[in-house]
Amino acid sequence: EVQLVESGGGLVQAGGSLRLSCTASKFTFDEYSIGWFRQAPGKERERVSCISGRSGSTYYTDSVKGRFTISKDNARNTVLLQMNSLRPEDTAVYYCAAVDGIVTFTLRDFESLGSWGQGTQVTVSS
């Protein structure tokens, strides 16, 4: 069974930084598409950033471009999301998810095919 564990969330002031980690057990990310998603209270889940384990190609939603960076640490079987210049509107529960065997960056594919972690809370104070 695929297992994903997120860590690194917390409380930070606006303008600050956090680094989220998504660590996989029982599989490696090489053939997976991995995504970070977030859900704020009362809002729908949204896609934040994705990376293809196969090609290394990446995706960022417009609101995080230039502030967030997704990367893979193959030695630790971990996908990182470096979040800089955080804003109060970034406050949400952040989830990582992984889809096996296809290169996809769509929320629909991750929700229908993917394995998900339990989430980590990110709170940005103004």
Side-chain angles (χ1 to χ4, degrees), residues 108-126:
R108 182 171 63 181
D109 280 343
F110 278 92
E111 287 186 331
S112 62
L113 302 172
S115 299
W116 290 75
Q118 82 289 350
T120 186
Q121 176 70 46
V122 171
T123 303
V124 184
S125 63
S126 58

Side-chain angles (χ1 to χ4, degrees), residues 38-46 88-93 95:
R38 65 188 180 187
Q39 188 165 21
K43 294 188 177 181
E44 294 185 351
R45 183 180 294 172
E46 67 168 334
E89 54 264 38
D90 295 318
T91 295
V93 178
Y95 301 89

Side-chain angles (χ1 to χ4, degrees), residues 19-42:
R19 187 175 72 173
L20 304 184
S21 297
C22 175
T23 301
S25 62
K26 302 183 180 181
F27 74 101
T28 60
F29 281 130
D30 292 352
E31 293 298 320
Y32 282 74
S33 296
I34 305 100
W36 283 99
F37 304 84
R38 65 188 180 187
Q39 188 165 21

